[in-house]
Amino acid sequence: MNSQQTQFSSDEATQKPATPFVSQFDTQSSKKDAKVTNVKLSTSDVHVYYGEAEAIKGIDLNIYENEVIAFIGPSGCGKSTFLRTLNRMNDTIDSCRVSGKVMLDNQDIYDPNLDVVLLRAQVGMVFQKPNPFPKSIFDNVAYGPKLHGLARDKYDLEEIVEGSLRKAGLWEEVKDRLNQPGTGLSGGQQQRLCIARTIAVSPEVILMDEPCSALDPIATAKVEELISELSTQYTIAIVTHSMQQAARVSDRTAYFHLGDLIEVNSTEKVFTQPDHQLTEAYITGRFG
Ligand SMILES: Nc1ncnc2c1ncn2[C@@H]1O[C@H](COP(=O)(O)OP(=O)(O)OP(=O)(O)O)[C@@H](O)[C@H]1O
């Protein structure tokens, strides 16, 4: 952390009394204490640059198997940029350069010999805006398994599609119209279709970049419920602007500020007794 941030936080800290986040809504909604299991993804000294500008300033973070970790922080602090380092989505941006190490289990994901298409199946991504392919509901989900040769035959493919739609909580709503376009579904259904598409290639990790920001409260509740169900099987990292959402769905929360990772702790601790005054200023609404 640089001196400018310290200055900012101490100035801010004197301006208003803290409103404990805990009083704003029920902390019982905080999902559970952090599960400490195997490390699934690990970043060491990760820096990200867009041209000359440093957006991520050396982040070390372990993400554990089957946890849901939420990334929160003010706009522009680097949450999405950091999330995208976890499956090399930043490779698609010409001006972007990543240094440091990101390990998925024992595999260095920035190894030049690594198959990036396979990596993005292992570490899938769900975006802010639902982005189904202009194909049928069935083909949206079948696309990845076909590409990766995951189905032995037509029946196997049908099973994968049905299983993925069931896991995404969408099967009952679409089973009678699998041949209709995915783009014809409601926004919430489209997002669950995109989650089904991600699940269909058997990922180990699912990255979610503000997956509910384009959804209404009912569709949001469905996706949040889904995240909790999926966390029994997958490791999930989610960027969210909603602290309530982070509290509802995540085991741990990481607070970012100006490209630094300021604090990562159990979600309950971050929202009730944060270690750092910058985190406290954010969760009590003094800035962000
Ligand atoms: N494609 C890009 N080219 C240049 N700069 C970028 C690009 N994407 C992000 N940035 C810059 O990197 C910094 C971090 O942006 P990022 O989108 O990761 O933050 P964020 O915390 O996810 O923000 P938000 O909450 O607003 O989505 C910002 O200064 C942003 O302007």
Side-chain angles (χ1 to χ4, degrees), residues 89-106:
M89 277 312 274
N90 287 323
D91 287 13
T92 60
I93 301 169
D94 284 343
S95 67
C96 188
R97 184 168 63 81
V98 177
S99 72
K101 209 163 212 180
V102 181
M103 302 291 289
L104 172 66
D105 295 321
N106 296 320

Side-chain angles (χ1 to χ4, degrees), residues 38-46 59 61-64 82 85-88 100-111 114 119 122-123 204-205 235:
N38 299 328
V39 174
K40 188 73 199 166
L41 269 169
S42 168
T43 75
S44 319
D45 198 27
V46 165
I59 288 188
L61 177 66
N62 285 336
I63 298 179
Y64 297 100
F82 183 69
T85 65
L86 304 178
N87 72 346
R88 291 184 53 176
K101 209 163 212 180
V102 181
M103 302 291 289
L104 172 66
D105 295 321
N106 296 320
Q107 186 181 39
D108 176 354
I109 73 162
Y110 283 86
D111 180 339
L114 185 107
L119 170 70
Q122 287 174 293
V123 184
E204 294 164 44
V205 180
T235 302

Side-chain angles (χ1 to χ4, degrees), residues 3-267:
S3 56
Q4 197 186 356
Q5 288 165 18
T6 315
Q7 180 64 44
F8 180 58
S9 69
S10 53
D11 285 354
E12 284 287 322
T14 56
Q15 283 172 13
K16 284 190 217 163
T19 307
F21 182 79
V22 59
S23 70
Q24 293 174 22
F25 50 86
D26 181 11
T27 51
Q28 293 308 313
S29 61
S30 172
K31 200 180 138 203
K32 48 198 166 300
D33 290 336
K35 294 176 233 174
V36 178
T37 55
N38 299 328
V39 174
K40 188 73 199 166
L41 269 169
S42 168
T43 75
S44 319
D45 198 27
V46 165
H47 296 251
V48 184
Y49 305 85
Y50 293 105
E52 296 296 305
E54 190 178 22
I56 293 293
K57 299 174 181 168
I59 288 188
D60 299 319
L61 177 66
N62 285 336
I63 298 179
Y64 297 100
E65 213 164 68
N66 297 118
E67 77 167 337
V68 180
I69 185 166
F71 297 166
I72 65 166
S75 189
C77 66
K79 305 177 292 291
S80 299
T81 297
F82 183 69
L83 190 79
R84 291 195 302 259
T85 65
L86 304 178
N87 72 346
R88 291 184 53 176
M89 277 312 274
N90 287 323
D91 287 13
T92 60
I93 301 169
D94 284 343
S95 67
C96 188
R97 184 168 63 81
V98 177
S99 72
K101 209 163 212 180
V102 181
M103 302 291 289
L104 172 66
D105 295 321
N106 296 320
Q107 186 181 39
D108 176 354
I109 73 162
Y110 283 86
D111 180 339
N113 297 319
L114 185 107
D115 178 344
V116 179
V117 175
L118 195 60
L119 170 70
R120 294 194 189 132
Q122 287 174 293
V123 184
M125 191 150 195
V126 176
F127 298 87
Q128 187 168 1
K129 208 163 156 265
N131 59 348
F133 302 137
K135 291 173 180 289
S136 70
I137 294 168
F138 184 93
D139 285 341
N140 260 278
V141 185
Y143 179 85
K146 279 189 196 162
L147 180 73
H148 295 283
L150 298 181
R152 286 182 303 274
D153 52 34
K154 176 174 171 284
Y155 302 104
D156 202 22
L157 186 62
E158 283 171 2
E159 238 172 70
I160 293 174
V161 170
E162 178 176 338
S164 306
L165 286 167
R166 281 191 188 279
K167 280 188 196 162
L170 193 58
W171 176 250
E172 292 302 327
E173 290 160 66
V174 300
K175 65 183 180 191
D176 299 324
R177 48 172 169 154
L178 293 174
N179 291 326
Q180 291 179 15
T183 48
L185 297 171
S186 73
Q189 288 173 326
Q190 286 187 25
Q191 195 60 306
R192 282 181 284 139
L193 178 63
C194 293
I195 293 172
R197 186 175 69 188
T198 305
I199 291 170
V201 290
S202 302
E204 294 164 44
V205 180
I206 303 176
L207 308 177
M208 297 184 163
D209 196 351
E210 297 179 48
C212 301
S213 66
L215 307 185
D216 66 36
I218 291 170
T220 296
K222 280 195 178 155
V223 171
E224 287 184 1
E225 204 178 303
L226 184 57
I227 291 170
S228 297
E229 284 163 19
L230 295 176
S231 71
T232 59
Q233 238 181 312
Y234 307 99
T235 302
I236 298 175
I238 176 172
V239 168
T240 178
H241 273 125
S242 160
M243 287 187 275
Q244 288 89 340
Q245 180 166 76
R248 284 191 295 263
V249 304
S250 69
D251 301 299
R252 288 193 307 151
T253 293
Y255 175 67
F256 290 74
H257 185 93
L258 294 177
D260 285 310
L261 174 57
I262 301 297
E263 167 165 3
V264 56
N265 255 316
S266 80
T267 294

